[in-house]
PDB file of all heavy atoms in Angstrom:
ATOM      1  N   CYS A 280      30.417  66.151 -19.149  1.00  0.00           N
ATOM      2  CA  CYS A 280      30.628  67.323 -20.006  1.00  0.00           C
ATOM      3  C   CYS A 280      30.523  66.876 -21.468  1.00  0.00           C
ATOM      4  O   CYS A 280      31.186  65.925 -21.869  1.00  0.00           O
ATOM      5  CB  CYS A 280      31.999  67.926 -19.738  1.00  0.00           C
ATOM      6  SG  CYS A 280      32.403  69.280 -20.853  1.00  0.00           S
ATOM      7  N   HIS A 282      31.665  68.157 -24.128  1.00  0.00           N
ATOM      8  CA  HIS A 282      32.804  68.495 -24.995  1.00  0.00           C
ATOM      9  C   HIS A 282      33.827  67.367 -24.940  1.00  0.00           C
ATOM     10  O   HIS A 282      34.388  67.072 -23.894  1.00  0.00           O
ATOM     11  CB  HIS A 282      33.408  69.822 -24.554  1.00  0.00           C
ATOM     12  CG  HIS A 282      32.412  70.942 -24.606  1.00  0.00           C
ATOM     13  ND1 HIS A 282      31.879  71.399 -25.789  1.00  0.00           N
ATOM     14  CD2 HIS A 282      31.798  71.636 -23.632  1.00  0.00           C
ATOM     15  CE1 HIS A 282      31.000  72.353 -25.542  1.00  0.00           C
ATOM     16  NE2 HIS A 282      30.921  72.511 -24.230  1.00  0.00           N
ATOM     17  N   CYS A 285      37.397  67.266 -23.171  1.00  0.00           N
ATOM     18  CA  CYS A 285      37.464  67.612 -21.752  1.00  0.00           C
ATOM     19  C   CYS A 285      37.608  66.359 -20.881  1.00  0.00           C
ATOM     20  O   CYS A 285      37.035  65.312 -21.183  1.00  0.00           O
ATOM     21  CB  CYS A 285      36.191  68.360 -21.383  1.00  0.00           C
ATOM     22  SG  CYS A 285      36.036  68.744 -19.650  1.00  0.00           S
ATOM     23  N   GLN A 287      36.335  65.887 -18.054  1.00  0.00           N
ATOM     24  CA  GLN A 287      35.037  65.594 -17.431  1.00  0.00           C
ATOM     25  C   GLN A 287      34.070  64.926 -18.412  1.00  0.00           C
ATOM     26  O   GLN A 287      32.932  64.640 -18.051  1.00  0.00           O
ATOM     27  CB  GLN A 287      34.389  66.885 -16.894  1.00  0.00           C
ATOM     28  CG  GLN A 287      35.249  67.646 -15.919  1.00  0.00           C
ATOM     29  CD  GLN A 287      35.574  66.835 -14.675  1.00  0.00           C
ATOM     30  OE1 GLN A 287      34.748  66.060 -14.204  1.00  0.00           O
ATOM     31  NE2 GLN A 287      36.783  66.981 -14.175  1.00  0.00           N
ATOM     32  N   CYS A 316      30.964  73.755 -17.202  1.00  0.00           N
ATOM     33  CA  CYS A 316      31.857  72.679 -16.761  1.00  0.00           C
ATOM     34  C   CYS A 316      32.994  73.295 -15.954  1.00  0.00           C
ATOM     35  O   CYS A 316      33.602  74.269 -16.386  1.00  0.00           O
ATOM     36  CB  CYS A 316      32.388  71.936 -17.979  1.00  0.00           C
ATOM     37  SG  CYS A 316      33.683  70.754 -17.589  1.00  0.00           S
ATOM     38  N   GLY A 318      35.756  71.790 -15.392  1.00  0.00           N
ATOM     39  CA  GLY A 318      37.005  71.351 -16.010  1.00  0.00           C
ATOM     40  C   GLY A 318      37.431  72.273 -17.136  1.00  0.00           C
ATOM     41  O   GLY A 318      38.472  72.928 -17.066  1.00  0.00           O
ATOM     42  N   CYS A 319      36.611  72.393 -18.186  1.00  0.00           N
ATOM     43  CA  CYS A 319      37.013  73.148 -19.368  1.00  0.00           C
ATOM     44  C   CYS A 319      36.402  74.551 -19.381  1.00  0.00           C
ATOM     45  O   CYS A 319      36.685  75.316 -20.311  1.00  0.00           O
ATOM     46  CB  CYS A 319      36.628  72.385 -20.641  1.00  0.00           C
ATOM     47  SG  CYS A 319      34.862  72.125 -20.842  1.00  0.00           S
TER      48      CYS A 319
HETATM   49 ZN1   ZN B 751      34.254  70.144 -19.782  1.00  0.00          ZN
END
Side-chain angles (χ1 to χ4, degrees):
C280 175
H282 301 294
C285 175
Q287 304 299 325
C316 171
C319 62

